[in-house]
Amino acid sequence: MAGTPRTKCPIILTYHDTGLNHKSCFETLFNHEDMREILRHFPVCHVEAPGQHEEAKTLPASYVYPSMDQLSETLPTVIKHFGVRSVIGLGVGAGAYVLAKFALNHSDMVDGLILININPNAEGLMDSVANKLTEWTQTLPDTIIAHIFGKDEIQTNHDLIATYRHHITATMNQSNVNQFYRSYHSRGALEVERPVPGGSINVRTLKCSTLLVVGDHSPAVDHVVDCNSKLNPTKTTLLKVIEQMSSASMTRLRSRTNSSTSSFDGSRSRSHTNDSQRGRLSSTDKNKQPHDTPMETFNGNSDNQISKSTGVVC
């Protein structure tokens, strides 16, 4: 826990991806100067899956590694331990899945979600066969790197890949990492359903405001787009991160980010007002398809022109 929790205010709760822990997954983000304003308002609780911390001892042979469902059900205990009312979840990959599962089962504890590289689906038969072949032909670090990075990144950004390879091999317990990886790939589907106007109000979906984030070259891009198609479009935004943007675009992005920081600082009661505003806005946009959730990007080729689908850089 970084910062002091306050009973009536949410905290940011993070959950890392496979092959990573809270340091390797989030330290660079939270040390960035643009995060200082956010950290002044929100304490941060980093949760790590069993055995994934640096220099962890090998889990006992009798230890049965928790499923993704079981990992998500540990979070209410964490929140109650710190005396917190609710959280804003920030998860990557496996961590994004765990937080989404948690939000589905404990919606009263979640004010909002930022889900990076989420895959809402269970593995199919072909995926299982492919993963088994990968285990036979690749080392665990190579498997983890292929899960985190796209092929272009692996082939061109050698320094970054070397850094992550060193982290996985030198600071993480390989046996424990493998157990978490296997648990993630044995997950079930989130089983969420997009609400239909005039349909049942009891459909299983995320009830909080949710930001889905994915890089344009990420191996998870198709999965994130699929997840977006299954969620409530009035509460979900898909943000696709484009590489190699101009400095002018970055300046605009930073300005927009700073101006929107305060939106997380209100209570959930404001969501009712926001929902009614979304309803009025959506009724005026006759060209928007009902299955398309807004996706914002910045156009890096023009300093003045901004399209509805904008490219952004993190």
Side-chain angles (χ1 to χ4, degrees), residues 145 149 153-154 156-166:
I145 287 172
F149 299 101
E153 196 86 55
I154 294 174
T156 60
N157 201 335
H158 301 295
D159 290 342
L160 178 65
I161 300 305
T163 298
Y164 275 85
R165 188 184 303 279
H166 173 78

Side-chain angles (χ1 to χ4, degrees), residues 168-243:
I168 296 168
T169 56
T171 69
M172 302 287 287
N173 185 299
Q174 302 288 289
S175 174
N176 298 351
V177 170
N178 188 47
Q179 289 193 62
F180 184 34
Y181 181 82
R182 286 173 174 267
S183 177
Y184 173 60
H185 283 275
S186 300
R187 67 189 181 280
L190 281 180
E191 297 180 345
V192 290
E193 182 181 351
R194 169 164 287 199
V196 178
S200 173
I201 61 174
N202 296 319
V203 297
R204 181 174 170 83
T205 188
L206 294 174
K207 298 179 180 180
C208 62
S209 297
T210 303
L211 175 63
L212 305 179
V213 184
V214 67
D216 61 335
H217 296 306
S218 168
V221 63
D222 291 338
H223 302 308
V224 176
V225 172
D226 180 48
C227 184
N228 178 62
S229 71
K230 297 177 178 179
L231 297 178
N232 189 338
T234 67
K235 291 183 176 293
T236 309
T237 299
L238 171 61
L239 180 64
K240 192 173 184 181
V241 182
I242 311 298
E243 297 180 8

Side-chain angles (χ1 to χ4, degrees), residues 14-314:
T14 75
Y15 215 113
H16 59 88
D17 200 356
T18 57
L20 306 174
N21 52 41
H22 85 272
K23 287 187 176 181
S24 55
C25 198
F26 298 109
E27 191 172 58
T28 301
L29 171 66
F30 284 101
N31 285 341
H32 196 279
E33 60 179 359
D34 287 347
M35 291 294 294
R36 293 174 185 171
E37 182 65 24
I38 293 176
L39 295 179
R40 277 199 287 265
H41 294 278
F42 297 100
V44 180
C45 178
H46 298 291
V47 178
E48 288 184 343
Q52 305 306 303
H53 54 281
E54 291 184 355
E55 300 180 358
K57 294 182 179 179
T58 301
L59 295 169
S62 59
Y63 181 79
V64 178
Y65 206 87
S67 66
M68 293 290 106
D69 288 1
Q70 291 171 328
L71 290 175
S72 72
E73 287 302 317
T74 65
L75 297 181
T77 304
V78 174
I79 293 172
K80 291 176 182 177
H81 171 77
F82 288 108
V84 175
R85 179 183 65 84
S86 60
V87 304
I88 298 168
L90 171 59
V92 180
Y97 180 95
V98 170
L99 289 178
K101 199 75 172 182
F102 165 61
L104 286 170
N105 295 329
H106 303 278
S107 59
D108 58 318
M109 292 185 173
V110 184
D111 282 352
L113 289 172
I114 302 172
L115 305 177
I116 303 170
N117 292 350
I118 186 171
N119 185 346
N121 304 311
E123 283 202 344
L125 177 61
M126 294 304 298
D127 293 324
S128 299
V129 172
N131 282 326
K132 182 61 65 176
L133 291 174
T134 298
E135 290 180 13
W136 292 340
T137 59
Q138 286 187 344
T139 64
L140 179 63
D142 286 335
T143 301
I144 295 295
I145 287 172
H147 164 74
I148 298 174
F149 299 101
K151 293 181 179 179
D152 291 344
E153 196 86 55
I154 294 174
Q155 293 172 358
T156 60
N157 201 335
H158 301 295
D159 290 342
L160 178 65
I161 300 305
T163 298
Y164 275 85
R165 188 184 303 279
H166 173 78
H167 160 74
I168 296 168
T169 56
T171 69
M172 302 287 287
N173 185 299
Q174 302 288 289
S175 174
N176 298 351
V177 170
N178 188 47
Q179 289 193 62
F180 184 34
Y181 181 82
R182 286 173 174 267
S183 177
Y184 173 60
H185 283 275
S186 300
R187 67 189 181 280
L190 281 180
E191 297 180 345
V192 290
E193 182 181 351
R194 169 164 287 199
V196 178
S200 173
I201 61 174
N202 296 319
V203 297
R204 181 174 170 83
T205 188
L206 294 174
K207 298 179 180 180
C208 62
S209 297
T210 303
L211 175 63
L212 305 179
V213 184
V214 67
D216 61 335
H217 296 306
S218 168
V221 63
D222 291 338
H223 302 308
V224 176
V225 172
D226 180 48
C227 184
N228 178 62
S229 71
K230 297 177 178 179
L231 297 178
N232 189 338
T234 67
K235 291 183 176 293
T236 309
T237 299
L238 171 61
L239 180 64
K240 192 173 184 181
V241 182
I242 311 298
E243 297 180 8
Q244 297 180 348
M245 300 302 294
S246 67
S247 59
S249 296
M250 283 298 294
T251 301
R252 283 200 299 271
L253 173 60
R254 188 169 289 117
S255 175
R256 287 164 64 95
T257 302
N258 291 338
S259 66
S260 64
T261 298
S262 61
S263 65
F264 285 100
D265 203 17
S267 66
R268 275 186 295 178
S269 63
R270 290 164 55 188
S271 66
H272 300 292
T273 302
N274 292 338
D275 288 345
S276 63
Q277 289 175 343
R278 289 192 191 99
R280 289 195 297 271
L281 288 173
S282 62
S283 65
T284 62
D285 189 354
K286 304 299 183 182
N287 295 323
K288 183 181 293 183
Q289 297 298 319
H291 61 277
D292 290 335
T293 297
M295 179 174 70
E296 293 194 353
T297 34
F298 288 105
N299 189 336
N301 297 323
S302 171
D303 191 34
N304 297 318
Q305 181 182 1
I306 301 180
S307 61
K308 287 185 179 178
S309 283
T310 318
V312 269
V313 175
C314 291

